[in-house]
Every structure is written in C-alpha cells, then in structure tokens.
Amino acid sequence: MIRALLFDLDDTLMDHTAAARAGVDEWCRQRGLDTGQHQRFAAIERKWFTAYERGEVSHQGQRIARCREFLGEDMDDAAALAAYDGYLAAYQSQWRAFADARPTLEWALASGFRVGILTNGQREMQQAKLEAGGLALVDVPLIPTVELGYPKPQRQAYLAACDRLDVTPTETLMVGDSLENDVLGARRAGLRAVYLDRSGKGEGDVSSLSQLTKLVPQIAS
C-alpha cells in the first residue's frame, strides 16, 4: 500500500526550464553577450550538475564550473560565484509554479498521504521557489539532498527521504520529470515511481500532475 508521495521540484512542480531560458537571456544582455544561448547553457548545466550528482564536485563547485565554461573566462572561485549571481537573480525573477502543482499537493494531503519534496537543490533557493510559487505548505517538508549528503539518483537519497516521512520505500511513490533521478533511481531503491513527461510526447506515465488523482489510487490499492 502507498502511504507517501515524494515529488521532485524543478520541472515537476516549478517550471525551471522556462525560468532558466528567460534568466539566461537577461544575464547575457547584462554582460553584453548574444541572447538565445539556451541550449548551450542547458548542456553545460547538465554536464556539471551530473558531475555533482555523481559526487565529483560540490554543489557550489558545479556553479563555479558552469559559470566559467559558459562565460569562457578564467575566473577564481569568488569571481565566478559573483558573476553567477547575475544569472541567479534573473532566474529567480521568473519563478512560476505549474498550474497543476498546488492542487495536486492539496489533493495528496487531503487523501491522507504523507507528502514530501525531494530535490537536488540547496534549501535556501528551493524554499524560496516554493514560496514564490505558492507551494510552501506547512505539511509538505522540503528534503534537499545537499543536506542528506547523497544526491539523486544515489540510493541513499531516497531511503533518507523515506525516513524523513517515516515510511518504508515500498510504501512510497516518487513522482518526477527525470527518468534517471525520479524514476529509475527511485525504483532501484525500492520505491515505486511515476514518470512525468510534460512534453506531450507520450513517453511518461502521465503528462500532467492532475492525472495522479486517478493513477495513484490504483497504485495504492
């Protein structure tokens, strides 16, 4: 029986991709660079955040590396972080929750499930996202893997999240947009998982969080 739901945050509850695209353009304008470099920025982001998830760099270290590579400048750590703050400010101004996010969280709570948000981001930023998106619900704890010491898709991240919700892995359903981080990694840890594919290409289990209201009771029974 399913007793708890764990949600990813970026591109599951909050529209990270749209915010990042707008943020990158604004950052480039501020630095006198060409706009429209979304794909290049996203590729660099994936490269270094994956390195962080593998434990090869720290969370702060991946920010430094991303900034240096994207700007093509040889900066020391402090200068890179200061430059990256320009992107973060532009990115933060664009934070929006998906329309189905809060209704789904409220439905899950009303249905008696224990609910948590498992994210690879740092608490300060991810909590600010929840507040900006109207998703900072008192009964939905934010569980940043940076504090756990094991980012998704490492097995320990999901097990620690289950401990936080006081449930076993087999009683927990993970929901997210990343096949590796939110589905395969969760399943390897013994959780059940639902793959959210908002692209509409039909590659996921659901294309909207609103579909969980029908799917989860079937899985939970």
Side-chain angles (χ1 to χ4, degrees):
M1 179 176 290
I2 299 299
R3 297 176 55 213
L5 300 182
L6 272 174
F7 290 88
D8 171 55
L9 180 56
D10 291 318
D11 284 331
T12 296
L13 299 173
M14 296 290 293
D15 193 348
H16 162 74
T17 296
R21 287 174 65 90
V24 169
D25 278 346
E26 177 57 26
W27 190 35
C28 286
R29 282 191 287 267
Q30 292 172 4
R31 301 190 68 88
L33 303 174
D34 291 337
T35 58
Q37 300 191 58
H38 313 122
Q39 291 185 349
R40 177 170 170 265
F41 182 88
I44 292 171
E45 179 183 49
R46 284 194 300 271
K47 170 185 173 181
W48 287 105
F49 210 80
T50 299
Y52 159 68
E53 291 167 349
R54 291 196 298 257
E56 297 170 1
V57 297
S58 67
H59 191 273
Q60 188 177 67
Q62 60 86 24
R63 286 185 175 181
I64 292 169
R66 284 162 60 181
C67 184
R68 285 174 178 156
E69 183 169 347
F70 183 76
L71 297 181
E73 299 179 20
D74 184 17
M75 299 176 283
D76 62 26
D77 290 0
L81 289 172
Y84 194 72
D85 282 343
Y87 162 69
L88 290 178
Y91 168 57
Q92 290 168 8
S93 71
Q94 300 296 320
W95 285 342
R96 304 288 187 277
F98 288 107
D100 56 9
R102 184 175 180 118
T104 300
L105 294 178
E106 292 177 337
W107 162 79
L109 291 171
S111 299
F113 293 107
R114 299 182 186 185
V115 183
I117 298 172
L118 182 63
T119 172
N120 276 353
Q122 291 181 315
R123 178 175 294 278
E124 182 179 7
M125 174 176 286
Q126 303 302 68
Q127 181 64 38
K129 286 180 186 176
L130 293 177
E131 293 170 1
L135 304 180
L137 305 181
V138 65
D139 294 323
V140 180
L142 177 66
I143 308 173
T145 62
V146 174
E147 297 176 2
L148 302 177
Y150 303 100
K152 297 181 291 183
Q154 295 185 34
R155 182 173 181 270
Q156 296 94 326
Y158 312 98
L159 300 183
C162 291
D163 286 343
R164 293 282 181 92
L165 297 180
D166 194 25
V167 291
T168 66
T170 56
E171 295 174 321
T172 308
L173 180 69
M174 179 83 208
V175 181
D177 70 293
S178 170
L179 182 60
E180 179 60 28
N181 285 1
D182 303 318
V183 179
L184 300 181
R187 288 173 179 169
R188 287 193 293 267
L191 288 72
R192 300 190 196 185
V194 168
Y195 181 26
L196 171 65
D197 175 21
R198 291 189 179 276
S199 71
K201 296 179 181 178
E203 297 178 356
D205 300 307
V206 295
S207 59
S208 167
L209 292 178
S210 62
Q211 294 173 282
L212 294 177
T213 61
K214 293 182 178 180
L215 180 61
V216 172
Q218 297 174 5
I219 298 173
S221 61

